[in-house]
Amino acid sequence: MRYHPHTPEDVRAMLDVIGAGSVPELFRSIPAPLRLGRPLDVPPALDEIALFAELGRLAGRNQVAHPPFAGAGSYPHHVPPVVDQLLLRGEFFTAYTPYQPEIAQGTLTALFEWQTFVSLLTGLDVSNASMYDGATATAEAALMATRVTGRKKIVVSAAVHPEYRKVLATYLRSTHDEVVTVPFGADGRTDLAALAAAVKGAAAVIVGWPSFLGVVDVLPEAAALAKAAGALTIAVTAEAVALGLLESPGALGADVAVGTFQSFGNPVSFGGPAPGFFALKEQYLRQMPGRICGATLDKHGRRGFVLTLSTREQHIRREKATSNICTNAGLCALAATIHLTLLGKQGLAALARLNHGRLRLLREALGARGVHPVFAGPVFNEQAFEVGDAEAVVARLARKGIVAGAPLSRWYPDHPRARGALLCVATELHTPELIDLFAKAVQP
């Protein structure tokens, strides 16, 4: 936040330039009944020094001694300081929507690189220039599937992030499309028998990769069932570091891959903001929401970048648009792009292996104290553990300055396997010493 004080003379000069006699006259186009007519009922404004002191006091209440063991859709990872430094470069000081390529080559270049990373990691042909977040990207993918197939039913696994599924239901409520949720089995993976029974007449099947439960789900089998039924397969990924170790969704039969790259370059920040991604097979390109940045040559033969496909409402009639809510998260996508550039192919693979190894350490440390996984399915860096009273464990460890994890019963209150389940994540931030401390705190 920056203060830009204006003297009465400054205000008078600006009003003179725009031809207004006073500030109230500036807003004369707003009908009088809609004007507040009194000061806002908020505390008095603070000067800059007092404001920084207040924000510092609030920040001091945060417990930052240890990285959180809670993931559940937003994951703690190291963000190299160079990411924030590069975000400040002048090449990126343009409007978030780069309509004018002659002044936005920095932003357009970054978006082109973002799209390249998304396509490489998802194994799919085309990516757009990012989405608002993972949940809306999932809903937009479902809407796209209904347009492509002409069908009105979406089948989604209960192991997909529950908040993503809420956004999906909200989107499809207005279109009167049907959402059918299929359960997960005892191993935490999607129940294939239930999926097979539900997929007939579906536009798409949605499964997590990995799922909200941290489990590496049955994506190839789900894709085979979807394909046989004439439906699209949509893979959803919230922990994108997993794509450095797991097979890509495209290679396993997914037609669309969506999710978020929050894990790259973006802190947890109480759950957001985080950049959404959207990739698909080229045959569905014209139905993809959002924009695509492409490479071209200018009249001098020099390589440059421009928006080459935009399918939203600013450019075409609203009723013809593929999406009306598909805004991107440009700065967050840029941070992710910088981080992925720093990692490179080998660095990302090493980071993914390190995450997988840290979860194994966590599982061994908890197992030695009699705390075992809830689900037997394969996992990446996140797993649910049976701790008895998960809410009590979270409260007890909070008093020690440790964010213990996410009790699954918050999202699955009626599921018997979720009652004592604590969903925990282990990343490169969780050292062996910290993991040992955590295990002893969970089960003294």
Side-chain angles (χ1 to χ4, degrees):
M1 180 179 294
R2 292 173 181 152
Y3 280 68
H4 298 284
H6 299 301
T7 66
E9 291 76 18
D10 293 333
V11 175
R12 182 68 262 163
M14 288 187 283
L15 290 171
D16 289 344
V17 169
I18 60 179
S22 63
V23 172
E25 184 181 337
L26 181 64
F27 299 110
R28 64 182 181 276
S29 61
I30 301 175
L34 298 181
R35 300 178 201 172
L36 186 58
R38 60 171 175 77
L40 290 172
D41 185 18
V42 295
L46 300 177
D47 62 40
E48 201 167 41
I49 296 172
L51 178 63
F52 272 101
E54 174 62 10
L55 292 177
R57 186 189 66 79
L58 292 173
R61 296 170 58 187
N62 289 331
Q63 294 182 338
V64 296
H66 307 299
F69 283 84
S74 191
Y75 298 93
H77 288 286
H78 174 65
V79 178
V82 68
V83 172
D84 284 343
Q85 187 62 38
L86 290 175
L87 290 179
L88 299 175
R89 287 185 63 94
E91 294 92 327
F92 306 121
F93 281 4
T94 55
Y96 93 106
T97 301
Y99 292 122
Q100 296 174 279
E102 64 273 23
I103 63 169
Q105 283 301 296
T107 302
L108 288 163
T109 304
L111 291 177
F112 186 83
E113 297 299 333
W114 158 273
Q115 293 169 182
T116 303
F117 280 127
V118 173
S119 289
L120 285 172
L121 291 178
T122 59
L124 289 164
D125 304 321
V126 185
S127 161
N128 72 12
S130 82
M131 302 288 287
Y132 183 66
D133 59 18
T136 53
T138 303
E140 292 286 355
L143 288 175
M144 192 199 80
T146 63
R147 292 192 299 271
V148 168
T149 63
R151 299 175 177 178
K152 297 184 70 63
K153 182 171 76 172
I154 301 295
V155 179
V156 59
S157 168
V160 169
H161 197 306
E163 291 164 5
Y164 284 30
R165 288 190 282 118
K166 282 187 177 180
V167 172
L168 174 69
T170 301
Y171 263 60
L172 268 59
R173 189 177 302 132
S174 62
T175 59
H176 305 292
D177 295 315
E178 180 186 9
V179 179
V180 177
T181 303
V182 295
F184 50 83
D187 62 356
R189 294 187 286 187
T190 301
D191 185 331
L192 286 173
L195 179 60
V199 73
K200 183 179 180 182
V205 169
I206 305 176
V207 295
W209 188 248
S211 75
F212 176 73
L213 306 176
V215 173
V216 179
D217 214 332
V218 286
L219 178 59
E221 294 84 352
L225 288 172
K227 185 176 182 180
L232 273 59
T233 300
I234 301 169
V236 181
T237 300
E239 172 49 299
V241 173
L243 299 178
L245 185 62
L246 302 179
E247 195 79 53
S248 70
L252 298 177
D255 300 287
V256 186
V258 294
T260 176
F261 273 11
Q262 173 270 323
S263 293
F264 304 123
N266 288 272
V268 173
S269 296
F270 296 96
F277 69 85
F278 195 117
L280 43 58
K281 293 180 177 176
E282 187 173 3
Q283 66 198 80
Y284 306 121
L285 173 62
R286 285 286 170 182
Q287 290 297 326
M288 183 170 67
R291 315 179 179 92
I292 293 178
C293 176
T296 187
L297 299 176
D298 68 8
K299 66 180 182 182
H300 303 295
R302 297 173 302 191
R303 193 179 191 222
F305 300 91
V306 295
L307 291 179
T308 54
L309 179 68
S310 300
T311 55
R312 56 184 294 182
E313 77 278 13
Q314 290 102 320
H315 312 287
I316 56 179
R317 286 179 297 175
R318 177 174 289 269
E319 65 272 18
K320 297 289 186 183
T322 58
S323 170
N324 290 303
I325 310 174
C326 61
T327 189
N328 71 351
L331 191 65
C332 298
L334 175 59
T337 302
I338 294 171
H339 194 180
L340 281 165
T341 303
L342 292 168
L343 285 169
K345 182 178 180 180
Q346 294 181 352
L348 176 57
L351 177 64
R353 288 194 297 271
L354 179 58
N355 273 248
H356 189 54
R358 290 293 162 83
L359 179 65
R360 185 173 60 250
L361 282 181
L362 177 63
R363 186 167 55 245
E364 291 171 354
L366 288 172
R369 306 188 76 81
V371 178
H372 300 290
V374 176
F375 305 110
V379 291
F380 170 58
N381 69 350
E382 192 172 26
Q383 193 158 28
F385 294 91
E386 175 57 57
V387 297
D389 188 340
E391 293 288 356
V393 170
V394 169
R396 178 159 50 80
L397 267 65
R399 292 193 288 274
K400 300 176 181 290
I402 300 174
V403 179
L408 278 184
S409 59
R410 294 180 184 177
W411 291 276
Y412 302 93
D414 301 322
H415 198 288
R417 299 183 69 84
R419 286 175 188 158
L422 185 64
L423 188 63
C424 302
V425 69
T427 74
E428 72 279 5
L429 297 178
H430 300 95
T431 63
E433 295 77 16
L434 179 58
I435 287 173
D436 187 56
L437 172 70
F438 175 75
K440 291 176 180 174
V442 168
Q443 190 60 268

